Amino acid sequence: MSHSNSRRQFLTKSGLAAAALSLGIFSRASENRTNVREKKKELEVYKKGLALSTWNAGIIANNAALATMSTGGNATDMAEEGVKVIEADYSNLSVGLGGLPDREGHTTLDACIMNSIGQAGSVCFLEKIKHPVTVARMVMERTPHVMMVGEGAQQFALSQGMTLEDYESPEAVKAYKEWLVKSEYKPIINIENHDTIGMLTMDTNGDIAGSCTTSGLAFKMRGRVGDSPIIGAGLYIDNEIGGATGTGLGETVLRSCTAFLIVELMRQGASPQEACEEAIKRVEKINRFMKDDYQVGFLAVNKQGEVGAFGLRPGFNYALHKNGANQLIDAKYHLKK
Ligand code: SD4
């Protein structure tokens, strides 16, 4: 169902429908004009493709996604290739094998991907594999499953031709040694400059896909998994409606199924911006028992190529590649600090 259809259904349910009907033929004519205009706008976005991703590194990832599209890639290829560039950048301390380790000194990776026909793949607690997002895609396309974890996920990756990489980031090792001195476990987002990448893409057919990849919280308990590889929490796509992905303290997102919520709000007629704002407020409400400050930021796109972004607190930014221009934007936020 198109966004305008769902919006109409939403209106039909309200008292506004009667008023709209009583306007008769004039309102229908203007609705038709609006539909034609919306359709044209959609086609423009489709032609040029769209990529939207979290934090500063999103600029590079968006470029890689659009480059993939221009060589014939679809939305899923864009979502995979876009974030792979960040996974391969070992100077990034929050994504890929350069990521900060858990409390026992091991870097463990989480990732997921979802395509435009509703298929999803995910890996969690994966070690020594360079591209968790690619393994997630393999789970999606080559197995009857959605999620694989730990050793089993690693074995599967090896069976599909991937190799073990024993990379140790000097920066991550140094940070870990410093952390060991106090061994204080206090996961605070933003302040520790997390950079998990969540990406939403739209290709020349107007199909939508998404991906999310992270090394999770720095110095997390061994075995801890956040929201990023969880379909419905860190990422959700419904190609009839749109998609959503995010970043932040995963536990708070897991408790509120944020990505799924955003897509459902859009289904009911909310714009991507309205949906992100409502969902972030919901995250805050559900997690009101939390004593420490935390950050969460979410992005959304709908079928018309309209986008939304919202943070719980200041500091969340994202990169948007739309109509041929790629730019970094500071998201609006809910709480003052
Ligand atoms: C997690 N959501 O593992 C991730 C962390 C993150 O920016 O997004 N950091 O909880």
Side-chain angles (χ1 to χ4, degrees):
M1 191 194 300
S2 73
H3 175 74
S4 52
N5 273 345
S6 65
R7 187 147 214 150
R8 217 172 304 130
Q9 270 197 359
F10 183 65
L11 283 174
T12 311
K13 283 185 196 131
S14 72
L16 285 175
L21 280 175
S22 72
L23 289 176
I25 194 156
F26 297 111
S27 70
R28 270 201 299 279
S30 87
E31 192 183 342
N32 281 346
R33 269 200 304 279
T34 314
N35 283 348
V36 170
R37 224 177 304 129
E38 270 185 16
K39 200 89 227 145
K40 260 190 167 165
K41 260 196 333 207
E42 267 172 42
L43 290 176
E44 268 312 295
V45 177
Y46 295 179
K47 249 192 334 222
K48 295 196 172 143
L50 182 151
L52 173 65
S53 46
T54 56
W55 305 115
N56 295 344
I59 287 281
I60 302 168
N62 286 355
N63 281 336
L66 269 290
T68 303
M69 190 187 86
S70 64
T71 53
N74 61 22
T76 314
D77 301 320
M78 293 166 76
E80 180 190 358
E81 296 302 326
V83 303
K84 266 176 82 175
V85 177
I86 312 305
E87 287 179 344
D89 173 7
Y90 288 169
S91 69
N92 187 311
L93 293 175
S94 314
V95 177
L97 293 175
L100 291 169
D102 63 17
R103 301 168 84 161
E104 292 177 31
H106 306 284
T107 298
T108 71
L109 306 177
D110 302 331
C112 72
I113 191 162
M114 200 161 178
N115 68 17
S116 59
I117 59 166
Q119 293 176 315
S122 158
V123 287
C124 318
F125 193 43
L126 182 64
E127 291 177 84
K128 299 188 177 17
I129 297 287
K130 186 172 182 180
H131 287 301
V133 73
T134 301
V135 188
R137 185 171 181 176
M138 287 170 171
V139 172
M140 174 171 84
E141 292 178 347
R142 302 182 186 178
T143 80
H145 308 305
V146 170
M147 178 177 270
M148 294 183 78
V149 307
E151 222 182 287
Q154 191 191 67
Q155 271 169 20
F156 171 68
L158 298 181
S159 77
Q160 300 302 304
M162 298 204 161
T163 49
L164 289 182
E165 305 230 359
D166 262 320
Y167 181 77
E168 270 205 337
S169 148
E171 247 189 280
V173 171
K174 184 167 170 274
Y176 178 59
K177 283 190 181 143
E178 282 165 12
W179 175 81
L180 274 178
V181 176
K182 279 195 183 163
S183 303
E184 196 184 21
Y185 190 54
K186 199 166 183 253
I188 300 173
I189 299 284
N190 255 10
I191 299 159
E192 61 170 327
N193 194 20
H194 241 259
D195 261 335
T196 293
I197 184 154
M199 169 174 264
L200 303 170
T201 55
M202 183 184 268
D203 62 22
T204 46
N205 288 325
D207 286 330
I208 299 172
S211 58
C212 194
T213 180
T214 187
S215 55
L217 291 186
F219 317 126
K220 60 195 174 188
M221 288 177 73
R222 183 146 177 82
R224 178 267 184 194
V225 172
D227 61 313
S228 304
I230 307 298
I231 302 298
L235 174 74
Y236 198 72
I237 306 293
D238 182 332
N239 195 40
E240 287 185 0
I241 305 297
T245 189
T247 176
L249 187 62
E251 283 71 8
T252 65
V253 175
L254 282 168
R255 291 186 198 105
S256 33
C257 299
T258 316
F260 186 72
L261 173 62
I262 290 173
V263 173
E264 289 310 299
L265 289 166
M266 292 195 289
R267 192 190 306 280
Q268 290 166 32
S271 70
Q273 185 62 34
E274 288 165 348
C276 287
E277 292 185 12
E278 171 64 24
I280 289 290
K281 288 174 192 162
R282 193 81 68 83
V283 171
E284 191 209 6
K285 195 168 173 208
I286 289 172
N287 293 284
R288 57 188 174 269
F289 64 87
M290 298 263 304
K291 288 193 189 68
D292 293 323
D293 289 350
Y294 61 92
Q295 173 68 307
V296 174
F298 262 82
L299 304 177
V301 65
N302 67 10
K303 218 35 198 168
Q304 284 70 42
E306 295 167 332
V307 304
F310 203 57
L312 178 64
R313 306 193 132 76
F316 173 49
N317 68 356
Y318 65 102
L320 172 63
H321 202 312
K322 189 175 167 179
N323 294 328
N326 195 13
Q327 50 176 329
L328 206 56
I329 302 168
D330 287 329
K332 293 193 178 127
Y333 47 87
H334 178 43
L335 304 175
K336 294 250 152 23
K337 55 181 181 95

mmCIF file of all heavy atoms in Angstrom, residues 233-279:
data_model
loop_
_atom_site.group_PDB
_atom_site.id
_atom_site.type_symbol
_atom_site.label_atom_id
_atom_site.label_comp_id
_atom_site.label_asym_id
_atom_site.label_seq_id
_atom_site.Cartn_x
_atom_site.Cartn_y
_atom_site.Cartn_z
ATOM 1 N N ALA A 233 14.282 -4.021 16.234
ATOM 2 C CA ALA A 233 14.818 -3.094 17.242
ATOM 3 C C ALA A 233 15.765 -2.106 16.556
ATOM 4 O O ALA A 233 15.457 -0.923 16.418
ATOM 5 C CB ALA A 233 15.527 -3.866 18.340
ATOM 6 N N GLY A 234 16.933 -2.618 16.085
ATOM 7 C CA GLY A 234 17.921 -1.739 15.455
ATOM 8 C C GLY A 234 17.655 -1.481 13.983
ATOM 9 O O GLY A 234 18.217 -0.542 13.395
ATOM 10 N N LEU A 235 16.822 -2.291 13.357
ATOM 11 C CA LEU A 235 16.541 -2.139 11.914
ATOM 12 C C LEU A 235 15.207 -2.775 11.581
ATOM 13 O O LEU A 235 14.888 -3.861 12.084
ATOM 14 C CB LEU A 235 17.635 -2.845 11.092
ATOM 15 C CG LEU A 235 17.409 -2.895 9.575
ATOM 16 C CD1 LEU A 235 17.646 -1.525 8.933
ATOM 17 C CD2 LEU A 235 18.345 -3.920 8.911
ATOM 18 N N TYR A 236 14.440 -2.099 10.745
ATOM 19 C CA TYR A 236 13.249 -2.747 10.182
ATOM 20 C C TYR A 236 12.905 -2.122 8.842
ATOM 21 O O TYR A 236 13.004 -0.907 8.679
ATOM 22 C CB TYR A 236 12.036 -2.661 11.124
ATOM 23 C CG TYR A 236 11.003 -3.681 10.742
ATOM 24 C CD1 TYR A 236 11.227 -5.036 10.978
ATOM 25 C CD2 TYR A 236 9.836 -3.311 10.084
ATOM 26 C CE1 TYR A 236 10.314 -5.995 10.582
ATOM 27 C CE2 TYR A 236 8.911 -4.268 9.689
ATOM 28 C CZ TYR A 236 9.159 -5.605 9.940
ATOM 29 O OH TYR A 236 8.258 -6.559 9.537
ATOM 30 N N ILE A 237 12.534 -2.968 7.899
ATOM 31 C CA ILE A 237 12.156 -2.501 6.559
ATOM 32 C C ILE A 237 10.828 -3.140 6.190
ATOM 33 O O ILE A 237 10.647 -4.351 6.344
ATOM 34 C CB ILE A 237 13.204 -2.938 5.491
ATOM 35 C CG1 ILE A 237 14.629 -2.503 5.858
ATOM 36 C CG2 ILE A 237 12.800 -2.439 4.096
ATOM 37 C CD1 ILE A 237 14.892 -1.025 5.845
ATOM 38 N N ASP A 238 9.913 -2.335 5.698
ATOM 39 C CA ASP A 238 8.729 -2.859 5.019
ATOM 40 C C ASP A 238 8.625 -2.063 3.724
ATOM 41 O O ASP A 238 8.306 -0.868 3.748
ATOM 42 C CB ASP A 238 7.475 -2.670 5.880
ATOM 43 C CG ASP A 238 6.244 -3.247 5.195
ATOM 44 O OD1 ASP A 238 6.218 -3.282 3.941
ATOM 45 O OD2 ASP A 238 5.304 -3.646 5.900
ATOM 46 N N ASN A 239 8.920 -2.708 2.640
ATOM 47 C CA ASN A 239 9.054 -1.999 1.360
ATOM 48 C C ASN A 239 7.765 -1.304 0.914
ATOM 49 O O ASN A 239 7.791 -0.440 0.052
ATOM 50 C CB ASN A 239 9.534 -2.984 0.292
ATOM 51 C CG ASN A 239 10.051 -2.291 -0.941
ATOM 52 O OD1 ASN A 239 10.737 -1.271 -0.834
ATOM 53 N ND2 ASN A 239 9.717 -2.793 -2.110
ATOM 54 N N GLU A 240 6.628 -1.668 1.498
ATOM 55 C CA GLU A 240 5.393 -0.956 1.137
ATOM 56 C C GLU A 240 5.298 0.380 1.866
ATOM 57 O O GLU A 240 4.592 1.274 1.437
ATOM 58 C CB GLU A 240 4.174 -1.793 1.529
ATOM 59 C CG GLU A 240 3.957 -2.976 0.628
ATOM 60 C CD GLU A 240 2.673 -3.717 0.980
ATOM 61 O OE1 GLU A 240 1.960 -3.317 1.917
ATOM 62 O OE2 GLU A 240 2.402 -4.708 0.295
ATOM 63 N N ILE A 241 6.017 0.478 2.989
ATOM 64 C CA ILE A 241 5.877 1.647 3.856
ATOM 65 C C ILE A 241 7.166 2.454 3.940
ATOM 66 O O ILE A 241 7.194 3.657 3.675
ATOM 67 C CB ILE A 241 5.483 1.204 5.298
ATOM 68 C CG1 ILE A 241 4.224 0.336 5.280
ATOM 69 C CG2 ILE A 241 5.344 2.410 6.231
ATOM 70 C CD1 ILE A 241 2.976 1.028 4.781
ATOM 71 N N GLY A 242 8.261 1.809 4.346
ATOM 72 C CA GLY A 242 9.527 2.499 4.538
ATOM 73 C C GLY A 242 10.438 1.687 5.442
ATOM 74 O O GLY A 242 10.214 0.493 5.648
ATOM 75 N N GLY A 243 11.435 2.359 5.998
ATOM 76 C CA GLY A 243 12.379 1.649 6.867
ATOM 77 C C GLY A 243 12.873 2.550 7.979
ATOM 78 O O GLY A 243 12.720 3.777 7.927
ATOM 79 N N ALA A 244 13.478 1.906 9.001
ATOM 80 C CA ALA A 244 14.035 2.668 10.122
ATOM 81 C C ALA A 244 15.257 1.945 10.672
ATOM 82 O O ALA A 244 15.309 0.704 10.671
ATOM 83 C CB ALA A 244 12.984 2.823 11.221
ATOM 84 N N THR A 245 16.219 2.719 11.126
ATOM 85 C CA THR A 245 17.387 2.141 11.802
ATOM 86 C C THR A 245 17.900 3.154 12.811
ATOM 87 O O THR A 245 17.529 4.332 12.748
ATOM 88 C CB THR A 245 18.492 1.761 10.807
ATOM 89 O OG1 THR A 245 19.507 1.012 11.499
ATOM 90 C CG2 THR A 245 19.150 2.985 10.180
ATOM 91 N N GLY A 246 18.764 2.673 13.739
ATOM 92 C CA GLY A 246 19.198 3.615 14.753
ATOM 93 C C GLY A 246 20.483 3.229 15.441
ATOM 94 O O GLY A 246 21.176 2.283 15.052
ATOM 95 N N THR A 247 20.772 3.991 16.460
ATOM 96 C CA THR A 247 22.015 3.859 17.202
ATOM 97 C C THR A 247 21.753 4.312 18.635
ATOM 98 O O THR A 247 20.780 5.017 18.887
ATOM 99 C CB THR A 247 23.103 4.727 16.545
ATOM 100 O OG1 THR A 247 24.290 4.686 17.317
ATOM 101 C CG2 THR A 247 22.660 6.190 16.415
ATOM 102 N N GLY A 248 22.617 3.905 19.527
ATOM 103 C CA GLY A 248 22.457 4.339 20.909
ATOM 104 C C GLY A 248 22.555 3.165 21.868
ATOM 105 O O GLY A 248 22.966 2.062 21.480
ATOM 106 N N LEU A 249 22.158 3.393 23.089
ATOM 107 C CA LEU A 249 22.263 2.351 24.114
ATOM 108 C C LEU A 249 21.253 1.238 23.815
ATOM 109 O O LEU A 249 20.049 1.388 24.035
ATOM 110 C CB LEU A 249 22.019 2.951 25.502
ATOM 111 C CG LEU A 249 22.265 1.992 26.663
ATOM 112 C CD1 LEU A 249 23.714 1.518 26.712
ATOM 113 C CD2 LEU A 249 21.899 2.653 27.979
ATOM 114 N N GLY A 250 21.776 0.111 23.287
ATOM 115 C CA GLY A 250 20.942 -0.948 22.735
ATOM 116 C C GLY A 250 19.882 -1.478 23.674
ATOM 117 O O GLY A 250 18.772 -1.815 23.247
ATOM 118 N N GLU A 251 20.208 -1.540 24.956
ATOM 119 C CA GLU A 251 19.245 -2.105 25.916
ATOM 120 C C GLU A 251 17.942 -1.306 25.894
ATOM 121 O O GLU A 251 16.847 -1.869 25.965
ATOM 122 C CB GLU A 251 19.846 -2.103 27.333
ATOM 123 C CG GLU A 251 20.863 -3.209 27.594
ATOM 124 C CD GLU A 251 22.200 -3.026 26.873
ATOM 125 O OE1 GLU A 251 22.426 -1.956 26.270
ATOM 126 O OE2 GLU A 251 23.022 -3.968 26.909
ATOM 127 N N THR A 252 18.056 0.003 25.770
ATOM 128 C CA THR A 252 16.851 0.847 25.790
ATOM 129 C C THR A 252 16.039 0.656 24.510
ATOM 130 O O THR A 252 14.815 0.768 24.521
ATOM 131 C CB THR A 252 17.210 2.343 25.956
ATOM 132 O OG1 THR A 252 17.933 2.784 24.797
ATOM 133 C CG2 THR A 252 18.043 2.578 27.194
ATOM 134 N N VAL A 253 16.730 0.372 23.424
ATOM 135 C CA VAL A 253 16.056 0.163 22.126
ATOM 136 C C VAL A 253 15.407 -1.224 22.095
ATOM 137 O O VAL A 253 14.295 -1.390 21.592
ATOM 138 C CB VAL A 253 17.066 0.338 20.974
ATOM 139 C CG1 VAL A 253 16.434 0.018 19.635
ATOM 140 C CG2 VAL A 253 17.634 1.756 20.982
ATOM 141 N N LEU A 254 16.103 -2.200 22.675
ATOM 142 C CA LEU A 254 15.550 -3.565 22.727
ATOM 143 C C LEU A 254 14.226 -3.585 23.483
ATOM 144 O O LEU A 254 13.309 -4.311 23.128
ATOM 145 C CB LEU A 254 16.543 -4.504 23.423
ATOM 146 C CG LEU A 254 17.718 -4.964 22.565
ATOM 147 C CD1 LEU A 254 18.777 -5.645 23.423
ATOM 148 C CD2 LEU A 254 17.260 -5.899 21.467
ATOM 149 N N ARG A 255 14.158 -2.770 24.522
ATOM 150 C CA ARG A 255 12.930 -2.762 25.333
ATOM 151 C C ARG A 255 11.764 -2.103 24.611
ATOM 152 O O ARG A 255 10.625 -2.223 25.038
ATOM 153 C CB ARG A 255 13.165 -2.014 26.656
ATOM 154 C CG ARG A 255 14.081 -2.740 27.602
ATOM 155 C CD ARG A 255 14.138 -2.004 28.946
ATOM 156 N NE ARG A 255 15.297 -2.449 29.672
ATOM 157 C CZ ARG A 255 16.413 -1.749 29.820
ATOM 158 N NH1 ARG A 255 16.517 -0.529 29.326
ATOM 159 N NH2 ARG A 255 17.434 -2.260 30.468
ATOM 160 N N SER A 256 12.065 -1.389 23.535
ATOM 161 C CA SER A 256 10.958 -0.654 22.897
ATOM 162 C C SER A 256 10.755 -0.969 21.415
ATOM 163 O O SER A 256 9.944 -0.299 20.771
ATOM 164 C CB SER A 256 11.135 0.845 23.126
ATOM 165 O OG SER A 256 12.479 1.202 23.168
ATOM 166 N N CYS A 257 11.484 -1.964 20.886
ATOM 167 C CA CYS A 257 11.300 -2.379 19.475
ATOM 168 C C CYS A 257 11.190 -1.165 18.554
ATOM 169 O O CYS A 257 10.228 -1.027 17.775
ATOM 170 C CB CYS A 257 10.054 -3.248 19.326
ATOM 171 S SG CYS A 257 10.139 -4.743 20.292
ATOM 172 N N THR A 258 12.156 -0.285 18.655
ATOM 173 C CA THR A 258 12.012 1.052 18.078
ATOM 174 C C THR A 258 11.857 1.070 16.559
ATOM 175 O O THR A 258 11.016 1.804 16.027
ATOM 176 C CB THR A 258 13.212 1.917 18.502
ATOM 177 O OG1 THR A 258 13.447 1.686 19.894
ATOM 178 C CG2 THR A 258 12.939 3.384 18.290
ATOM 179 N N ALA A 259 12.670 0.296 15.837
ATOM 180 C CA ALA A 259 12.615 0.363 14.372
ATOM 181 C C ALA A 259 11.253 -0.109 13.864
ATOM 182 O O ALA A 259 10.648 0.510 12.975
ATOM 183 C CB ALA A 259 13.739 -0.473 13.764
ATOM 184 N N PHE A 260 10.743 -1.180 14.445
ATOM 185 C CA PHE A 260 9.426 -1.697 14.043
ATOM 186 C C PHE A 260 8.340 -0.668 14.362
ATOM 187 O O PHE A 260 7.446 -0.411 13.555
ATOM 188 C CB PHE A 260 9.143 -3.025 14.758
ATOM 189 C CG PHE A 260 7.887 -3.692 14.293
ATOM 190 C CD1 PHE A 260 7.817 -4.284 13.046
ATOM 191 C CD2 PHE A 260 6.763 -3.718 15.101
ATOM 192 C CE1 PHE A 260 6.640 -4.894 12.609
ATOM 193 C CE2 PHE A 260 5.583 -4.329 14.673
ATOM 194 C CZ PHE A 260 5.532 -4.916 13.426
ATOM 195 N N LEU A 261 8.477 -0.066 15.530
ATOM 196 C CA LEU A 261 7.497 0.945 15.941
ATOM 197 C C LEU A 261 7.456 2.097 14.928
ATOM 198 O O LEU A 261 6.375 2.554 14.530
ATOM 199 C CB LEU A 261 7.856 1.470 17.343
ATOM 200 C CG LEU A 261 7.028 2.641 17.857
ATOM 201 C CD1 LEU A 261 5.557 2.261 17.985
ATOM 202 C CD2 LEU A 261 7.556 3.124 19.202
ATOM 203 N N ILE A 262 8.617 2.552 14.509
ATOM 204 C CA ILE A 262 8.663 3.684 13.564
ATOM 205 C C ILE A 262 7.961 3.316 12.254
ATOM 206 O O ILE A 262 7.161 4.085 11.718
ATOM 207 C CB ILE A 262 10.124 4.131 13.318
ATOM 208 C CG1 ILE A 262 10.678 4.793 14.585
ATOM 209 C CG2 ILE A 262 10.228 5.078 12.120
ATOM 210 C CD1 ILE A 262 12.152 5.130 14.544
ATOM 211 N N VAL A 263 8.237 2.125 11.747
ATOM 212 C CA VAL A 263 7.602 1.711 10.485
ATOM 213 C C VAL A 263 6.085 1.597 10.669
ATOM 214 O O VAL A 263 5.306 2.019 9.815
ATOM 215 C CB VAL A 263 8.217 0.390 9.965
ATOM 216 C CG1 VAL A 263 7.450 -0.138 8.767
ATOM 217 C CG2 VAL A 263 9.682 0.610 9.589
ATOM 218 N N GLU A 264 5.663 1.088 11.820
ATOM 219 C CA GLU A 264 4.217 0.971 12.054
ATOM 220 C C GLU A 264 3.553 2.345 12.184
ATOM 221 O O GLU A 264 2.432 2.543 11.721
ATOM 222 C CB GLU A 264 3.941 0.119 13.302
ATOM 223 C CG GLU A 264 4.250 -1.357 13.094
ATOM 224 C CD GLU A 264 3.613 -1.930 11.834
ATOM 225 O OE1 GLU A 264 2.388 -1.917 11.720
ATOM 226 O OE2 GLU A 264 4.370 -2.370 10.945
ATOM 227 N N LEU A 265 4.260 3.282 12.801
ATOM 228 C CA LEU A 265 3.697 4.637 12.895
ATOM 229 C C LEU A 265 3.555 5.252 11.501
ATOM 230 O O LEU A 265 2.563 5.919 11.197
ATOM 231 C CB LEU A 265 4.581 5.524 13.795
ATOM 232 C CG LEU A 265 4.523 5.182 15.291
ATOM 233 C CD1 LEU A 265 5.660 5.869 16.049
ATOM 234 C CD2 LEU A 265 3.187 5.602 15.889
ATOM 235 N N MET A 266 4.535 4.987 10.635
ATOM 236 C CA MET A 266 4.441 5.504 9.253
ATOM 237 C C MET A 266 3.280 4.828 8.528
ATOM 238 O O MET A 266 2.578 5.451 7.743
ATOM 239 C CB MET A 266 5.758 5.286 8.505
ATOM 240 C CG MET A 266 6.906 6.143 9.038
ATOM 241 S SD MET A 266 8.316 6.231 7.929
ATOM 242 C CE MET A 266 9.008 4.599 8.053
ATOM 243 N N ARG A 267 3.075 3.540 8.810
ATOM 244 C CA ARG A 267 1.957 2.822 8.177
ATOM 245 C C ARG A 267 0.619 3.492 8.518
ATOM 246 O O ARG A 267 -0.312 3.525 7.723
ATOM 247 C CB ARG A 267 1.937 1.361 8.664
ATOM 248 C CG ARG A 267 1.003 0.451 7.873
ATOM 249 C CD ARG A 267 0.826 -0.900 8.535
ATOM 250 N NE ARG A 267 2.074 -1.569 8.814
ATOM 251 C CZ ARG A 267 2.798 -2.246 7.911
ATOM 252 N NH1 ARG A 267 2.355 -2.379 6.682
ATOM 253 N NH2 ARG A 267 3.946 -2.799 8.236
ATOM 254 N N GLN A 268 0.562 4.034 9.751
ATOM 255 C CA GLN A 268 -0.679 4.680 10.178
ATOM 256 C C GLN A 268 -0.790 6.122 9.715
ATOM 257 O O GLN A 268 -1.725 6.832 10.063
ATOM 258 C CB GLN A 268 -0.787 4.624 11.699
ATOM 259 C CG GLN A 268 -1.032 3.224 12.208
ATOM 260 C CD GLN A 268 -0.794 3.122 13.700
ATOM 261 O OE1 GLN A 268 -1.022 4.067 14.436
ATOM 262 N NE2 GLN A 268 -0.314 1.990 14.140
ATOM 263 N N GLY A 269 0.186 6.581 8.945
ATOM 264 C CA GLY A 269 0.060 7.917 8.360
ATOM 265 C C GLY A 269 1.075 8.931 8.838
ATOM 266 O O GLY A 269 1.110 10.054 8.337
ATOM 267 N N ALA A 270 1.918 8.577 9.819
ATOM 268 C CA ALA A 270 2.915 9.538 10.292
ATOM 269 C C ALA A 270 4.003 9.735 9.235
ATOM 270 O O ALA A 270 4.327 8.814 8.482
ATOM 271 C CB ALA A 270 3.553 9.027 11.585
ATOM 272 N N SER A 271 4.552 10.935 9.181
ATOM 273 C CA SER A 271 5.713 11.182 8.318
ATOM 274 C C SER A 271 6.920 10.521 8.998
ATOM 275 O O SER A 271 6.876 10.229 10.202
ATOM 276 C CB SER A 271 5.959 12.683 8.174
ATOM 277 O OG SER A 271 6.423 13.192 9.412
ATOM 278 N N PRO A 272 8.036 10.312 8.263
ATOM 279 C CA PRO A 272 9.219 9.729 8.915
ATOM 280 C C PRO A 272 9.684 10.552 10.118
ATOM 281 O O PRO A 272 10.059 9.991 11.152
ATOM 282 C CB PRO A 272 10.257 9.734 7.794
ATOM 283 C CG PRO A 272 9.457 9.657 6.534
ATOM 284 C CD PRO A 272 8.207 10.428 6.791
ATOM 285 N N GLN A 273 9.609 11.890 9.999
ATOM 286 C CA GLN A 273 10.043 12.728 11.125
ATOM 287 C C GLN A 273 9.108 12.549 12.318
ATOM 288 O O GLN A 273 9.564 12.352 13.453
ATOM 289 C CB GLN A 273 10.094 14.205 10.688
ATOM 290 C CG GLN A 273 10.646 15.142 11.748
ATOM 291 C CD GLN A 273 12.104 14.827 12.124
ATOM 292 O OE1 GLN A 273 12.901 14.400 11.307
ATOM 293 N NE2 GLN A 273 12.444 15.031 13.397
ATOM 294 N N GLU A 274 7.810 12.586 12.059
ATOM 295 C CA GLU A 274 6.835 12.404 13.157
ATOM 296 C C GLU A 274 7.025 11.040 13.810
ATOM 297 O O GLU A 274 6.971 10.905 15.036
ATOM 298 C CB GLU A 274 5.404 12.500 12.619
ATOM 299 C CG GLU A 274 4.982 13.899 12.225
ATOM 300 C CD GLU A 274 3.722 13.939 11.358
ATOM 301 O OE1 GLU A 274 3.272 12.879 10.847
ATOM 302 O OE2 GLU A 274 3.196 15.042 11.162
ATOM 303 N N ALA A 275 7.272 10.023 12.997
ATOM 304 C CA ALA A 275 7.412 8.671 13.527
ATOM 305 C C ALA A 275 8.658 8.561 14.410
ATOM 306 O O ALA A 275 8.616 7.962 15.496
ATOM 307 C CB ALA A 275 7.480 7.667 12.380
ATOM 308 N N CYS A 276 9.776 9.158 13.956
ATOM 309 C CA CYS A 276 11.010 9.105 14.765
ATOM 310 C C CYS A 276 10.801 9.835 16.088
ATOM 311 O O CYS A 276 11.225 9.357 17.151
ATOM 312 C CB CYS A 276 12.179 9.755 14.015
ATOM 313 S SG CYS A 276 12.810 8.760 12.655
ATOM 314 N N GLU A 277 10.141 10.975 16.042
ATOM 315 C CA GLU A 277 9.945 11.757 17.270
ATOM 316 C C GLU A 277 9.074 10.996 18.264
ATOM 317 O O GLU A 277 9.393 10.911 19.454
ATOM 318 C CB GLU A 277 9.332 13.130 16.932
ATOM 319 C CG GLU A 277 10.330 13.988 16.159
ATOM 320 C CD GLU A 277 9.869 15.409 15.866
ATOM 321 O OE1 GLU A 277 8.853 15.852 16.451
ATOM 322 O OE2 GLU A 277 10.546 16.076 15.065
ATOM 323 N N GLU A 278 7.993 10.423 17.766
ATOM 324 C CA GLU A 278 7.086 9.672 18.646
ATOM 325 C C GLU A 278 7.820 8.464 19.252
ATOM 326 O O GLU A 278 7.704 8.173 20.441
ATOM 327 C CB GLU A 278 5.867 9.228 17.820
ATOM 328 C CG GLU A 278 4.923 8.266 18.506
ATOM 329 C CD GLU A 278 4.228 8.852 19.731
ATOM 330 O OE1 GLU A 278 4.116 10.087 19.798
ATOM 331 O OE2 GLU A 278 3.830 8.058 20.623
ATOM 332 N N ALA A 279 8.603 7.788 18.413
ATOM 333 C CA ALA A 279 9.282 6.572 18.888
ATOM 334 C C ALA A 279 10.350 6.894 19.934
ATOM 335 O O ALA A 279 10.506 6.167 20.922
ATOM 336 C CB ALA A 279 9.900 5.831 17.703
#
